[in-house]
């Protein structure tokens, strides 16, 4: 879990943050309401790789329309939050992407968002 903040551009909710006694205070610190925090922690707003604060405010869709961006875009979206229960999927995705890298015909951006986790 300690490497996750360095590897991704999205805010990571640590166990300490999640364990706070006052959910309203924690939600306010995170920049949204307590109900959104509750849904994020329950996994109700999970995408493939992260949690989404507001799927009706995606970077590639008009406001109020469900987000149609690829789940890979979540890793750089302002609406994304990483939670501890998502870490196994994030690690598996990272490992699989790194394993297929030698077969890629495109140049990967440098530095890779995954570079600091190796």
């Amino acid at each position: 879990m300690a490497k996750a903040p360095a590897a991704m551009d999205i805010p990571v909710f640590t166990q300490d943050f999640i364990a706070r006694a006052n959910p309203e205070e924690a939600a306010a610190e995170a920049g949204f309401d307590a109900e959104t925090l509750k849904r994020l922690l329950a996994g109700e707003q999970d995408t493939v790789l992260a949690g989404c604060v507001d799927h009706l405010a995606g970077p590639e869709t008009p406001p109020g329309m469900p987000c149609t961006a690829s789940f890979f875009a979540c890793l750089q979206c302002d609406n994304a939050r990483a939670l501890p229960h998502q870490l196994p999927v994030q690690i598996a995705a990272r490992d699989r992407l790194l394993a297929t890298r030698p077969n890629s015909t495109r140049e990967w951006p440098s530095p890779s968002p995954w570079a600091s986790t190796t």
Side-chain angles (χ1 to χ4, degrees):
M1 189 70 196
K3 291 183 181 181
M8 295 182 290
D9 291 333
I10 63 176
V12 176
F13 287 173
T14 64
Q15 292 289 1
D16 290 340
F17 176 83
I18 293 169
R20 290 208 180 160
N22 186 333
E24 287 81 17
E25 183 181 297
E29 182 181 321
F32 43 81
D33 60 73
E35 185 59 31
T36 299
L37 179 60
K38 178 183 170 186
R39 289 192 310 266
L40 281 168
L41 296 178
E44 295 173 16
Q45 295 190 204
D46 281 5
T47 67
V48 175
L49 296 174
C52 183
V53 172
D54 186 358
H55 75 284
L56 298 176
E60 299 178 5
T61 53
M65 299 295 296
C67 182
T68 59
S70 163
F71 66 88
F72 287 115
C74 294
L75 298 177
Q76 304 217 348
C77 180
D78 291 340
N79 290 328
R81 301 296 183 271
L83 292 105
H85 73 269
Q86 297 157 336
L87 191 57
V89 172
Q90 293 166 354
I91 290 170
R94 173 196 172 272
D95 290 348
R96 186 66 189 133
L97 286 170
L98 289 175
T100 61
R101 186 182 226 178
N103 302 318
S104 176
T105 57
R106 285 185 55 194
E107 280 294 315
W108 284 47
S110 185
S112 164
W114 309 106
S116 62
T117 63
T118 56

